[in-house]
Amino acid sequence: MATSRTNSDAVVQVDLEATVRRSSRNVLTPTRFQYSAEIATDIKKKRTTPTTHNDKKRQNSRKDIKEEDDVKNSAVECTSGGHAGLSSYELERLENIKQNQAFLSSINLFQATEELKQVTRPKLSKRRLMRLQAAVEKGVPVRKSLRLQSLTLPPKPRETQICGLSHKRPPGPLLMKPVNMEDEAKLPSQLLELFSEVSTEDRKELSLTEYCSALKNMKTTEDREVIVVNKRLVCAAFHPCTSSLLMATGNTFGNSHESIHSLKFKHCLLCVSVHPLQKQYFAVTENKRVNIYDSRYLKEKKSKTVSQLHGHSLSIHGAYFSPRTGNRVLTSCMDDYIRIYDTSAMTKKAPLLTSIRHKLQTASYRTRVSAVWDPKQEDCFVVGSTSKRHIVKVFHESGKLLHSFVDRDNVTSVLYVTAFHPTRNALLGGNASGQLHVFSD
């Protein structure tokens, strides 16, 4: 009997060795199960007792410890030569694990991990929070660590208040680049000195009686007429210098841009006006509506409007902010109405204040007539008339006509373009042929 048992044991041992020699990828090691009353009791407890948050933390920690032990054991097996019957791929994998384990040990990673696990930031109790709040209310300085005290934060950016500032021209002379002169020609020195003159005068607003009397003293003569462009004149303005009257005009070829913002509109834009104080706002005429945008939030398509000016039935060819505060917007429409809107609050729909009947219709090949503000007077504006060729009218924002400039001898055409001087009692009017007429005291 002993002999037969020995043979059977030998046969079993040979079969196991043959199984071990096979690739470990295809063969699964047998699992032994051992039953006991204690194990059954533990399994029953796990099924009936709900797991708490602490139990989950213990399970996760045990899982992490088990994984670390597996890695260490695999490394030990690899170093001790316990890799009989493994393929070349698994041998190479164990060698990589061994090298990684040595590298992590050399940089003390496991030690740092254990230290971080031990260091836990305690939560502040309610009593501690109450003490801190009481210290802040009494003005007692809160204790800070040396690390936080040694840090130096960069200074906060200085905020600029745009609403309360008045717009001023940058100091120093501006460059003048002539485009219609020969290469060897030069601008006269007197013109350069006049152009670089800085106006320091800030004229105060007059009462309506004083303003009307100043308008009556303004006249035009033959020596105040000059042809400045050889094409149709579309815009003109005074330079703010006070020693002489310096004017700039533009024809259909267009005066160069200061900044460009790319926007896509369904209709052409006939007028753009920037807010005098809050430079981020600008008004744009889009067919039968005036929209006010914020340049900081522009998009190439579907930009949101800050405010809209409704009530126009035809195309709008003029919309301008009031010169000093920007609390009003003056519009000129082809439906022969001049309208004034309240933009002091920048609501979604600006309320209409005044509507004035005035002849504004022109042919498509003619320069459009637009009402413009007087920069010296916040509530007054000037406009030409297409019904009578030699008349320019000045209105109050309430709709009251203050004065009419009439000169049948010198003015024989419609003055489409009009503009007031910012400080002096002077008014210019330009016709479609590029001729300017100046009214001054």
Short mmCIF file of all heavy atoms in Angstrom, two decimals, residues 218-260:
data_model
loop_
_atom_site.label_atom_id
_atom_site.label_comp_id
_atom_site.label_asym_id
_atom_site.label_seq_id
_atom_site.Cartn_x
_atom_site.Cartn_y
_atom_site.Cartn_z
N MET A 218 -23.19 137.20 -35.49
CA MET A 218 -22.37 136.40 -36.41
C MET A 218 -22.85 136.63 -37.84
O MET A 218 -24.02 136.40 -38.16
CB MET A 218 -22.45 134.92 -36.02
CG MET A 218 -21.89 134.62 -34.64
SD MET A 218 -22.31 132.98 -34.01
CE MET A 218 -21.63 131.94 -35.31
N LYS A 219 -21.93 137.07 -38.72
CA LYS A 219 -22.24 137.36 -40.11
C LYS A 219 -21.22 136.68 -41.01
O LYS A 219 -20.17 136.20 -40.58
CB LYS A 219 -22.20 138.87 -40.36
CG LYS A 219 -23.09 139.69 -39.42
CD LYS A 219 -24.57 139.41 -39.68
CE LYS A 219 -25.45 140.26 -38.76
NZ LYS A 219 -26.89 139.98 -38.94
N THR A 220 -21.53 136.65 -42.32
CA THR A 220 -20.61 136.15 -43.33
C THR A 220 -20.40 137.20 -44.41
O THR A 220 -21.30 138.02 -44.67
CB THR A 220 -21.13 134.85 -43.97
OG1 THR A 220 -20.16 134.35 -44.89
CG2 THR A 220 -22.44 135.07 -44.68
N THR A 221 -19.22 137.18 -45.03
CA THR A 221 -18.87 138.13 -46.09
C THR A 221 -18.20 137.37 -47.23
O THR A 221 -17.99 136.15 -47.16
CB THR A 221 -17.92 139.21 -45.54
OG1 THR A 221 -16.76 138.58 -44.98
CG2 THR A 221 -18.60 140.05 -44.46
N GLU A 222 -17.85 138.11 -48.29
CA GLU A 222 -17.23 137.48 -49.45
C GLU A 222 -15.85 136.91 -49.13
O GLU A 222 -15.46 135.88 -49.68
CB GLU A 222 -17.11 138.50 -50.59
CG GLU A 222 -18.46 138.92 -51.18
CD GLU A 222 -18.28 139.86 -52.35
OE1 GLU A 222 -17.11 140.13 -52.70
OE2 GLU A 222 -19.30 140.30 -52.91
N ASP A 223 -15.09 137.58 -48.28
CA ASP A 223 -13.75 137.09 -47.95
C ASP A 223 -13.80 135.89 -47.00
O ASP A 223 -12.75 135.31 -46.68
CB ASP A 223 -12.90 138.20 -47.33
CG ASP A 223 -13.56 138.78 -46.09
OD1 ASP A 223 -14.74 138.48 -45.84
OD2 ASP A 223 -12.88 139.56 -45.40
N ARG A 224 -14.98 135.49 -46.55
CA ARG A 224 -15.13 134.31 -45.70
C ARG A 224 -15.73 133.15 -46.47
O ARG A 224 -16.38 132.27 -45.91
CB ARG A 224 -16.00 134.63 -44.49
CG ARG A 224 -15.39 135.68 -43.56
CD ARG A 224 -16.31 136.00 -42.42
NE ARG A 224 -15.74 137.02 -41.55
CZ ARG A 224 -16.37 137.56 -40.51
NH1 ARG A 224 -17.60 137.16 -40.20
NH2 ARG A 224 -15.79 138.50 -39.79
N GLU A 225 -15.50 133.12 -47.78
CA GLU A 225 -15.94 132.04 -48.65
C GLU A 225 -14.72 131.45 -49.34
O GLU A 225 -13.86 132.18 -49.84
CB GLU A 225 -16.94 132.54 -49.69
CG GLU A 225 -18.20 133.15 -49.10
CD GLU A 225 -19.09 133.74 -50.17
OE1 GLU A 225 -18.77 133.54 -51.37
OE2 GLU A 225 -20.09 134.39 -49.83
N VAL A 226 -14.64 130.13 -49.38
CA VAL A 226 -13.49 129.48 -50.00
C VAL A 226 -13.92 128.08 -50.45
O VAL A 226 -14.73 127.42 -49.81
CB VAL A 226 -12.31 129.39 -49.01
CG1 VAL A 226 -12.67 128.57 -47.79
CG2 VAL A 226 -11.08 128.81 -49.69
N ILE A 227 -13.37 127.67 -51.61
CA ILE A 227 -13.58 126.31 -52.12
C ILE A 227 -12.41 125.46 -51.63
O ILE A 227 -11.25 125.73 -51.93
CB ILE A 227 -13.67 126.30 -53.64
CG1 ILE A 227 -14.88 127.12 -54.10
CG2 ILE A 227 -13.78 124.86 -54.15
CD1 ILE A 227 -15.02 127.20 -55.61
N VAL A 228 -12.70 124.41 -50.89
CA VAL A 228 -11.65 123.62 -50.24
C VAL A 228 -11.44 122.25 -50.88
O VAL A 228 -10.34 121.70 -50.82
CB VAL A 228 -11.97 123.45 -48.74
CG1 VAL A 228 -11.84 124.78 -48.02
CG2 VAL A 228 -13.37 122.89 -48.54
N VAL A 229 -12.44 121.69 -51.50
CA VAL A 229 -12.31 120.38 -52.17
C VAL A 229 -12.96 120.46 -53.54
O VAL A 229 -13.85 121.28 -53.79
CB VAL A 229 -12.96 119.24 -51.34
CG1 VAL A 229 -12.19 118.98 -50.06
CG2 VAL A 229 -14.41 119.55 -51.02
N ASN A 230 -12.49 119.59 -54.43
CA ASN A 230 -13.03 119.59 -55.78
C ASN A 230 -14.08 118.51 -55.99
O ASN A 230 -14.56 118.32 -57.10
CB ASN A 230 -11.90 119.40 -56.80
CG ASN A 230 -11.07 118.15 -56.51
OD1 ASN A 230 -11.37 117.41 -55.58
ND2 ASN A 230 -10.03 117.93 -57.29
N LYS A 231 -14.44 117.80 -54.96
CA LYS A 231 -15.50 116.80 -55.02
C LYS A 231 -16.59 117.17 -54.02
O LYS A 231 -16.50 118.15 -53.31
CB LYS A 231 -14.94 115.41 -54.72
CG LYS A 231 -13.95 114.89 -55.76
CD LYS A 231 -14.64 114.59 -57.08
CE LYS A 231 -13.65 114.00 -58.07
NZ LYS A 231 -14.28 113.68 -59.36
N ARG A 232 -17.61 116.33 -53.98
CA ARG A 232 -18.74 116.61 -53.08
C ARG A 232 -18.30 116.57 -51.62
O ARG A 232 -17.74 115.59 -51.14
CB ARG A 232 -19.84 115.58 -53.33
CG ARG A 232 -21.08 115.79 -52.47
CD ARG A 232 -22.27 115.06 -53.08
NE ARG A 232 -22.04 113.65 -53.25
CZ ARG A 232 -22.39 112.72 -52.35
NH1 ARG A 232 -22.98 113.09 -51.23
NH2 ARG A 232 -22.16 111.46 -52.58
N LEU A 233 -18.56 117.64 -50.89
CA LEU A 233 -18.18 117.75 -49.49
C LEU A 233 -19.18 117.01 -48.61
O LEU A 233 -20.39 117.17 -48.78
CB LEU A 233 -18.13 119.23 -49.10
CG LEU A 233 -17.53 119.59 -47.73
CD1 LEU A 233 -16.81 120.93 -47.83
CD2 LEU A 233 -18.63 119.69 -46.68
N VAL A 234 -18.68 116.20 -47.69
CA VAL A 234 -19.56 115.40 -46.84
C VAL A 234 -19.38 115.69 -45.36
O VAL A 234 -20.26 115.37 -44.55
CB VAL A 234 -19.34 113.89 -47.09
CG1 VAL A 234 -19.77 113.51 -48.50
CG2 VAL A 234 -17.88 113.50 -46.86
N CYS A 235 -18.26 116.27 -44.93
CA CYS A 235 -18.05 116.56 -43.52
C CYS A 235 -17.06 117.71 -43.37
O CYS A 235 -16.24 117.96 -44.26
CB CYS A 235 -17.54 115.33 -42.75
SG CYS A 235 -15.96 114.71 -43.32
N ALA A 236 -17.15 118.42 -42.25
CA ALA A 236 -16.26 119.53 -41.95
C ALA A 236 -16.26 119.79 -40.46
O ALA A 236 -17.24 119.48 -39.76
CB ALA A 236 -16.68 120.79 -42.71
N ALA A 237 -15.14 120.35 -39.95
CA ALA A 237 -15.02 120.61 -38.52
C ALA A 237 -14.00 121.70 -38.28
O ALA A 237 -13.10 121.93 -39.10
CB ALA A 237 -14.64 119.35 -37.76
N PHE A 238 -14.12 122.40 -37.13
CA PHE A 238 -13.18 123.42 -36.71
C PHE A 238 -12.07 122.80 -35.87
O PHE A 238 -12.31 121.85 -35.09
CB PHE A 238 -13.89 124.49 -35.87
CG PHE A 238 -14.55 125.57 -36.67
CD1 PHE A 238 -15.92 125.61 -36.80
CD2 PHE A 238 -13.79 126.56 -37.29
CE1 PHE A 238 -16.54 126.61 -37.52
CE2 PHE A 238 -14.39 127.57 -38.01
CZ PHE A 238 -15.77 127.59 -38.14
N HIS A 239 -10.87 123.35 -36.00
CA HIS A 239 -9.80 123.02 -35.06
C HIS A 239 -10.00 123.86 -33.80
O HIS A 239 -10.42 125.01 -33.89
CB HIS A 239 -8.44 123.32 -35.69
CG HIS A 239 -7.29 122.79 -34.90
ND1 HIS A 239 -6.67 123.53 -33.92
CD2 HIS A 239 -6.64 121.60 -34.93
CE1 HIS A 239 -5.70 122.82 -33.37
NE2 HIS A 239 -5.65 121.64 -33.98
N PRO A 240 -9.70 123.34 -32.61
CA PRO A 240 -9.99 124.09 -31.38
C PRO A 240 -9.07 125.28 -31.11
O PRO A 240 -9.25 125.94 -30.08
CB PRO A 240 -9.82 123.03 -30.28
CG PRO A 240 -8.94 122.00 -30.86
CD PRO A 240 -9.25 121.96 -32.31
N CYS A 241 -8.11 125.58 -31.97
CA CYS A 241 -7.24 126.74 -31.73
C CYS A 241 -8.07 128.03 -31.80
O CYS A 241 -9.09 128.10 -32.50
CB CYS A 241 -6.10 126.78 -32.74
SG CYS A 241 -6.62 126.96 -34.45
N THR A 242 -7.63 129.05 -31.06
CA THR A 242 -8.41 130.28 -30.93
C THR A 242 -7.78 131.47 -31.65
O THR A 242 -8.47 132.46 -31.92
CB THR A 242 -8.57 130.64 -29.44
OG1 THR A 242 -7.27 130.74 -28.85
CG2 THR A 242 -9.37 129.57 -28.72
N SER A 243 -6.48 131.42 -31.95
CA SER A 243 -5.83 132.57 -32.59
C SER A 243 -6.32 132.77 -34.02
O SER A 243 -6.41 133.90 -34.50
CB SER A 243 -4.31 132.39 -32.58
OG SER A 243 -3.95 131.19 -33.26
N SER A 244 -6.65 131.71 -34.73
CA SER A 244 -7.16 131.78 -36.10
C SER A 244 -8.20 130.69 -36.29
O SER A 244 -8.32 129.77 -35.46
CB SER A 244 -6.04 131.63 -37.13
OG SER A 244 -5.08 132.65 -36.99
N LEU A 245 -8.94 130.80 -37.38
CA LEU A 245 -9.96 129.79 -37.71
C LEU A 245 -9.35 128.76 -38.65
O LEU A 245 -9.06 129.05 -39.81
CB LEU A 245 -11.18 130.44 -38.35
CG LEU A 245 -11.97 131.40 -37.46
CD1 LEU A 245 -13.13 132.01 -38.24
CD2 LEU A 245 -12.48 130.70 -36.22
N LEU A 246 -9.13 127.58 -38.14
CA LEU A 246 -8.57 126.47 -38.91
C LEU A 246 -9.63 125.41 -39.05
O LEU A 246 -10.19 124.93 -38.06
CB LEU A 246 -7.33 125.90 -38.21
CG LEU A 246 -6.67 124.68 -38.88
CD1 LEU A 246 -6.18 125.04 -40.28
CD2 LEU A 246 -5.53 124.15 -38.04
N MET A 247 -9.93 125.04 -40.32
CA MET A 247 -11.00 124.09 -40.59
C MET A 247 -10.45 122.89 -41.35
O MET A 247 -9.48 123.01 -42.10
CB MET A 247 -12.11 124.75 -41.42
CG MET A 247 -12.84 125.86 -40.68
SD MET A 247 -13.85 126.87 -41.79
CE MET A 247 -12.57 127.80 -42.64
N ALA A 248 -11.09 121.76 -41.16
CA ALA A 248 -10.75 120.53 -41.87
C ALA A 248 -12.00 119.99 -42.53
O ALA A 248 -13.08 120.00 -41.92
CB ALA A 248 -10.16 119.49 -40.92
N THR A 249 -11.88 119.55 -43.76
CA THR A 249 -13.03 119.05 -44.52
C THR A 249 -12.70 117.69 -45.12
O THR A 249 -11.54 117.30 -45.23
CB THR A 249 -13.41 120.03 -45.65
OG1 THR A 249 -12.28 120.16 -46.55
CG2 THR A 249 -13.77 121.39 -45.09
N GLY A 250 -13.75 117.00 -45.51
CA GLY A 250 -13.59 115.71 -46.16
C GLY A 250 -14.58 115.55 -47.29
O GLY A 250 -15.72 115.99 -47.18
N ASN A 251 -14.13 114.93 -48.37
CA ASN A 251 -15.02 114.70 -49.51
C ASN A 251 -15.40 113.23 -49.56
O ASN A 251 -15.24 112.49 -48.58
CB ASN A 251 -14.37 115.17 -50.81
CG ASN A 251 -13.02 114.48 -51.05
OD1 ASN A 251 -12.67 113.54 -50.35
ND2 ASN A 251 -12.29 114.96 -52.02
N THR A 252 -15.88 112.78 -50.70
CA THR A 252 -16.38 111.42 -50.81
C THR A 252 -15.27 110.37 -50.76
O THR A 252 -15.55 109.19 -50.57
CB THR A 252 -17.14 111.25 -52.13
OG1 THR A 252 -16.30 111.66 -53.22
CG2 THR A 252 -18.41 112.08 -52.13
N PHE A 253 -14.00 110.80 -50.92
CA PHE A 253 -12.91 109.83 -50.84
C PHE A 253 -12.52 109.50 -49.40
O PHE A 253 -11.81 108.54 -49.15
CB PHE A 253 -11.67 110.38 -51.58
CG PHE A 253 -11.85 110.41 -53.06
CD1 PHE A 253 -12.16 111.59 -53.71
CD2 PHE A 253 -11.72 109.26 -53.81
CE1 PHE A 253 -12.33 111.62 -55.08
CE2 PHE A 253 -11.89 109.29 -55.18
CZ PHE A 253 -12.20 110.47 -55.83
N GLY A 254 -12.96 110.41 -48.37
CA GLY A 254 -12.71 110.09 -46.98
C GLY A 254 -11.35 110.57 -46.50
O GLY A 254 -10.53 110.99 -47.29
N ASN A 255 -11.19 111.68 -44.11
CA ASN A 255 -10.29 112.52 -43.35
C ASN A 255 -9.26 111.73 -42.77
O ASN A 255 -8.13 111.97 -42.79
CB ASN A 255 -11.02 113.29 -42.31
CG ASN A 255 -10.64 114.73 -42.29
OD1 ASN A 255 -9.83 115.13 -42.98
ND2 ASN A 255 -11.26 115.49 -41.48
N SER A 256 -8.37 109.81 -42.30
CA SER A 256 -7.87 108.46 -41.96
C SER A 256 -8.45 108.06 -40.61
O SER A 256 -8.77 108.91 -39.80
CB SER A 256 -6.35 108.45 -41.90
OG SER A 256 -5.88 109.36 -40.95
N HIS A 257 -8.49 106.60 -40.31
CA HIS A 257 -9.14 106.13 -39.08
C HIS A 257 -8.19 106.21 -37.89
O HIS A 257 -6.97 106.17 -38.04
CB HIS A 257 -9.61 104.69 -39.27
CG HIS A 257 -8.49 103.74 -39.61
ND1 HIS A 257 -8.15 103.43 -40.89
CD2 HIS A 257 -7.63 103.07 -38.81
CE1 HIS A 257 -7.13 102.59 -40.90
NE2 HIS A 257 -6.80 102.35 -39.64
N GLU A 258 -8.77 106.32 -36.70
CA GLU A 258 -8.00 106.28 -35.45
C GLU A 258 -7.99 104.88 -34.87
O GLU A 258 -6.99 104.44 -34.32
CB GLU A 258 -8.60 107.26 -34.45
CG GLU A 258 -7.85 107.32 -33.12
CD GLU A 258 -8.43 108.34 -32.16
OE1 GLU A 258 -9.30 109.12 -32.61
OE2 GLU A 258 -8.03 108.36 -31.00
N SER A 259 -9.08 104.15 -34.99
CA SER A 259 -9.15 102.76 -34.54
C SER A 259 -10.19 102.04 -35.39
O SER A 259 -11.09 102.65 -35.94
CB SER A 259 -9.53 102.67 -33.06
OG SER A 259 -10.80 103.23 -32.85
N ILE A 260 -10.04 100.72 -35.49
CA ILE A 260 -10.91 99.91 -36.33
C ILE A 260 -11.56 98.83 -35.48
O ILE A 260 -10.90 98.18 -34.67
CB ILE A 260 -10.12 99.25 -37.49
CG1 ILE A 260 -9.55 100.31 -38.42
CG2 ILE A 260 -11.01 98.29 -38.27
CD1 ILE A 260 -8.75 99.74 -39.56
#
